[in-house]
Amino acid sequence: APMASRTGCLALLVLQLFASVEAFHVRSAMLARPLPASRHAMLKKSLPRCVGPSPVSLKMGETQVKEEMIVLPGDVKVSRLGVGAWAWGDRVFWGYDDSQEQEAQKGFDKAVACGVNLFDTAEVYGIGTGWGHSETLCGKFARECADKTDMELVVATKFAPLPNRFLDGRKAVARALRASLERLGTDQCDLYQLHWPGFFADRQFWDGLADAYDAGLVKSVGVSNYSAKRLRAVHKLLKERDIPLATNQIQYSLLHRTPEMNGVKEACDELGVKILAYSPLAQGCLTGRYSSTNLPSGPRGRIFEQRMDKIDPLLSALKRIGEKQGKTCSQVALNWLICKDVIPIPGARNEKQAEENCGALGWRLSAEEVQELDEVSKSFVDSSVEFPGMPLAQM
């Protein structure tokens, strides 16, 4: 990606990191208490069990696939598609306001009704509404879904390796996790991840993650935005403590295929670490809803305006394949990732978006269609068209 894009992305990251540091200090002081001695000391109060999958609607000519759950370490069973909850509570990038809560909850319920049980949030999600507001919403939606059916729900969240946490990284993980559990309304997290690298403090954060697992505060652990080198290092350390590394959450889409080129996907496949793909629709760029004359509002519009005219061949391919399969551009783009043995976690701001995303399940692109999309998108790699990624993920 060009320097301008990386600079803009870094600026957004800095805003995200520090917008709520003051709130973090207040909560940290309130929650600074030691971890329990063992996982058996914990009350195993899980998040609610939620609605089971509905039959997937298929049209004539589609290749029907019975979707099986993916089993992560800790016997955490997740669907082959998840929901990313970044937009829930984020006013700065996504323009969230409190009036959208009901729509977000309908999106949550619709996803679960379609067989999706994985929801990914983070303590930093909620810029403009409050530290961890997305976690609070996910916990609320899960509890209020409890009496509707019995599919087990999985809520993953992430620890932010902020600079002010570097000096006491191991204890910082414990404090932050307890605060996240409080917002989620549970005593145990299904999947706890490090949101990005901690650089010279990596070892402390990794030990803190392992401590949380040994204490029974988390069922499974993962990382996010990790390079191949860092992934191998954290995998080795956790393995020495008999703790499996479950996931690496990275940006991955038809407009950001860097993980295929920099060794990250290869390392994940080799180590048995499942990839969670965030921004799988390039923040809406691949939905077919936008053009150079119809841009989204806010920061996304500035990212989109330099790309929309140049990705016409890809959007045309998505539309053509979609018409053949009876699917939308979004569903084809998500299914391409599923065919790569990746779990995409697109956002769903409302019921309609959730339902459309879930249409990526229950069928598969043919090998020829996957290859066609590979070919038409490969020219975007390392070009000005490639969707900008997080700079920290390359380090």
Side-chain angles (χ1 to χ4, degrees):
M3 183 59 70
S5 295
R6 293 190 179 187
T7 302
C9 187
L10 184 58
L12 179 62
L13 173 63
V14 171
L15 173 66
Q16 190 178 41
L17 295 186
F18 295 104
S20 301
V21 169
E22 183 177 353
F24 161 75
H25 281 304
V26 173
R27 290 180 179 271
S28 293
M30 294 173 61
L31 294 158
R33 56 184 188 270
L35 290 168
S38 74
R39 67 173 57 231
H40 300 293
M42 290 299 300
L43 290 173
K44 301 299 184 181
K45 175 181 145 191
S46 299
L47 282 163
R49 300 177 67 82
C50 245
V51 63
S54 300
V56 179
S57 177
L58 296 168
K59 296 184 178 181
M60 188 175 296
E62 294 178 0
T63 303
Q64 183 170 353
V65 173
K66 181 180 180 181
E67 300 290 6
E68 301 289 344
M69 290 289 187
I70 294 170
V71 183
L72 301 178
D75 198 34
V76 177
K77 298 179 177 67
V78 298
S79 48
R80 292 187 175 272
L81 179 82
V83 175
W86 176 20
W88 296 349
D90 187 286
R91 282 183 180 158
V92 174
F93 196 87
W94 293 102
Y96 178 90
D97 62 59
D98 292 339
S99 67
Q100 298 175 22
E101 181 176 327
Q102 186 176 6
E103 287 302 307
Q105 186 163 10
K106 288 179 180 178
F108 183 102
D109 290 344
K110 174 57 71 172
V112 176
C114 291
V116 170
N117 78 326
L118 172 63
F119 296 84
D120 178 77
T121 183
E123 61 174 344
V124 298
Y125 294 169
I127 300 301
T129 58
W131 184 264
H133 190 56
S134 175
E135 290 180 319
T136 300
L137 291 175
C138 283
K140 176 179 182 288
F141 297 166
R143 289 190 297 274
E144 294 181 2
C145 178
D147 61 351
K148 297 179 182 178
T149 152
D150 61 356
M151 185 170 72
E152 187 170 354
L153 199 64
V154 174
V155 176
T157 193
K158 298 184 287 293
F159 166 85
L162 296 165
N164 61 318
R165 289 171 164 173
F166 283 6
L167 296 181
D168 66 342
R170 195 166 185 167
K171 293 179 180 178
V173 174
R175 290 193 297 268
L177 175 55
R178 287 200 179 277
S180 289
L181 292 175
E182 183 178 277
R183 288 187 291 268
L184 290 169
T186 183
D187 289 330
Q188 188 180 44
C189 180
D190 296 301
L191 173 62
Y192 197 52
Q193 307 152 92
L194 302 179
H195 206 152
W196 55 81
F199 304 105
F200 66 83
D202 269 341
R203 176 60 188 257
Q204 293 187 60
F205 294 137
W206 298 348
D207 280 333
L209 197 65
D211 291 345
Y213 181 89
D214 284 340
L217 291 174
V218 301
K219 294 180 182 178
S220 200
V221 297
V223 293
S224 181
N225 296 302
Y226 265 44
S227 66
K229 181 179 179 180
R230 259 195 176 80
L231 185 75
R232 293 182 188 280
V234 66
H235 182 274
K236 179 180 179 182
L237 180 140
L238 292 174
K239 186 176 182 180
E240 290 171 354
R241 294 183 60 171
D242 294 322
I243 299 172
L245 180 64
T247 57
N248 185 16
Q249 186 178 147
I250 54 176
Q251 184 176 175
Y252 194 0
S253 74
L254 281 162
L255 280 181
H256 191 87
R257 294 178 61 189
T258 301
E260 298 175 11
M261 314 300 169
N262 62 10
V264 170
K265 188 175 189 305
E266 180 182 1
C268 288
D269 292 343
E270 176 189 331
L271 298 173
V273 175
K274 184 58 71 174
I275 291 176
L276 304 182
Y278 70 79
S279 294
L281 298 174
Q283 296 174 9
C285 212
L286 296 173
T287 62
R289 300 189 188 102
Y290 301 106
S291 67
S292 58
T293 58
N294 178 34
L295 298 170
S297 60
R300 285 192 303 155
R302 294 189 289 275
I303 296 173
F304 281 29
E305 64 183 349
Q306 58 184 301
R307 291 173 172 81
M308 293 311 301
D309 284 341
K310 300 174 184 177
I311 67 170
D312 277 344
L314 176 57
L315 292 177
S316 295
L318 289 171
K319 184 177 180 180
R320 183 174 62 256
I321 293 171
E323 288 175 347
K324 178 181 175 183
Q325 293 278 10
K327 297 294 179 181
T328 66
C329 291
S330 296
Q331 291 163 350
V332 174
L334 293 172
N335 197 270
W336 177 82
L337 282 166
I338 294 171
C339 288
K340 299 280 184 179
D341 198 25
V342 167
I343 302 175
I345 50 171
R349 301 178 71 180
N350 53 53
E351 184 177 11
K352 182 178 179 181
Q353 289 182 5
E355 185 172 26
E356 181 177 3
N357 292 343
C358 292
L361 294 171
W363 62 284
R364 293 293 182 272
L365 293 165
S366 68
E368 293 75 21
E369 289 166 336
V370 171
Q371 184 176 5
E372 179 183 353
L373 292 172
D374 284 349
E375 289 296 316
V376 76
S377 63
K378 71 179 183 181
S379 63
F380 302 146
V381 177
D382 289 330
S383 74
S384 62
V385 180
E386 183 178 37
F387 213 74
M390 178 183 267
L392 299 181
Q394 309 302 320
M395 300 177 185

